């Protein structure tokens, strides 16, 4: 009911941080357009405060992405480097991967280009590029292909297939390690939803 959504959304304006976080989480689980609309509104309303509370911002991005709605593609890609952390980057990438639409795939690929092939040393963890694992999982989920962590191979695949490719409605079979990472992030099963 819209009235319930508005009552829950009022919690996002509370002074109590716990209430704000809970309101965002609840709206994320409500697969209902008015709930997503409230999350988009909160995203715009708090734009200037994104870097003040990383956990809150990551929770908001995850709640938006959980809806898997095409209208969230633009929101998830707005100012992607502002308040960028591992948590917010993962939430944006996995949020896009949860949207079964070609526009989401294009934005994930665009994200790989923005991340670059040679990030600064401070962005590396144990020799890997930042978000490389997340990009691989997202691209595999959106395409059903697995080009590994070679971002240029993914870009070449897309250049070759972009005119005819359509993101399938159902999620594809993926390796167990990807499924586990996905389920850990979303706290729900990969298959059967």
């Amino acid at each position: 009911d819209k009235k319930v959504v508005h009552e829950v959304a009022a919690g996002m304006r509370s002074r109590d941080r716990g209430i704000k976080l809970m309101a965002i989480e609840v709206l994320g689980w409500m697969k209902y357009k008015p709930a997503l609309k409230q999350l988009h509104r909160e995203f715009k309303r708090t734009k200037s405060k994104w870097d003040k509370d990383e956990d809150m911002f990551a929770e908001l991005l995850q709640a938006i992405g959980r809806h898997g709605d095409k209208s969230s593609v633009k929101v998830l890609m707005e100012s992607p480097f502002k308040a960028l952390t591992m948590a917010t980057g993962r939430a944006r990438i996995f949020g896009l991967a949860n949207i079964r639409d070609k526009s989401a795939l294009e934005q994930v690929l665009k994200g790989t280009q923005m991340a670059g092939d040679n990030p600064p040393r401070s962005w590396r963890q144990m020799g890997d590029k930042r978000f490389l694992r997340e990009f691989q999982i997202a691209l595999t989920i959106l395409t059903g292909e697995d080009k590994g962590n070679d971002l240029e191979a993914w870009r070449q695949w897309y250049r070759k297939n972009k005119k005819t490719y359509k993101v399938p409605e159902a999620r594809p079979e993926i390796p167990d390690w990807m499924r586990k990472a996905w389920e850990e992030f979303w706290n729900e099963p990969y298959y059967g939803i």
Side-chain angles (χ1 to χ4, degrees):
D1 188 284
K2 283 186 180 181
K3 289 179 184 176
V4 173
V5 169
H6 285 289
E7 289 298 319
V8 173
M12 291 189 294
R13 290 179 290 286
S14 171
R15 291 181 186 257
D16 185 301
R17 186 176 184 281
I19 292 172
K20 285 182 185 181
L21 278 168
M22 186 56 65
I24 290 168
E25 185 176 350
V26 169
L27 290 171
W29 285 101
M30 291 176 145
K31 303 281 174 129
Y32 184 52
K33 276 278 194 195
L36 180 60
K37 184 178 177 182
Q38 291 295 328
L39 291 167
H40 284 184
R41 183 175 289 154
E42 181 69 6
F43 180 88
K44 289 178 180 139
R45 189 178 76 79
T46 60
K47 201 179 218 179
S48 64
K49 302 174 188 171
W50 289 348
D51 55 350
K52 303 225 181 344
D53 192 336
E54 170 192 337
D55 295 336
M56 185 89 63
F57 185 45
E59 185 72 37
L60 178 60
L61 291 169
Q62 184 176 12
I64 290 168
R66 185 179 301 283
H67 281 262
D69 192 278
K70 184 179 174 180
S71 67
S72 297
V73 171
K74 186 176 179 182
V75 173
L76 290 170
M77 283 304 289
E78 186 172 323
S79 304
F81 292 111
K82 186 173 181 193
L84 178 64
T85 64
M86 288 304 290
T88 61
R90 184 176 295 117
R92 286 180 190 267
I93 295 165
F94 281 1
L96 288 168
N98 199 35
I99 301 169
R100 308 296 304 158
D101 188 82
K102 191 173 182 178
S103 63
L105 171 60
E106 289 170 348
Q107 291 304 313
V108 172
L109 286 162
K110 183 178 178 183
T112 68
Q113 292 171 331
M114 287 191 281
D117 289 330
N118 293 307
R121 184 174 300 180
S122 63
W123 279 29
R124 296 183 188 167
Q125 289 186 337
M126 299 185 304
D128 288 338
K129 296 172 188 166
R130 195 172 198 196
F131 304 118
L132 193 56
R133 179 176 170 261
E134 287 81 3
F135 281 128
Q136 180 183 358
I137 293 169
L139 290 166
T140 301
I141 287 171
L142 286 167
T143 65
E145 300 283 327
D146 188 358
K147 304 292 178 197
N149 58 16
D150 184 348
L151 298 179
E152 188 51 38
W154 282 107
R155 293 178 197 131
Q156 286 175 5
W157 175 87
Y158 191 66
R159 281 191 295 271
K160 182 180 172 187
N161 294 287
K162 76 179 189 179
K163 289 186 180 179
T164 58
Y165 185 75
K166 292 182 181 172
V167 175
E169 282 187 39
R171 291 183 189 146
E173 294 282 330
I174 57 174
D176 280 347
W177 73 268
M178 287 186 187
R179 181 188 52 76
K180 287 176 186 171
W182 183 263
E183 290 176 349
E184 182 180 301
F185 179 78
W186 292 111
N187 198 26
E188 61 183 319
Y190 175 81
Y191 298 110
I193 29 179

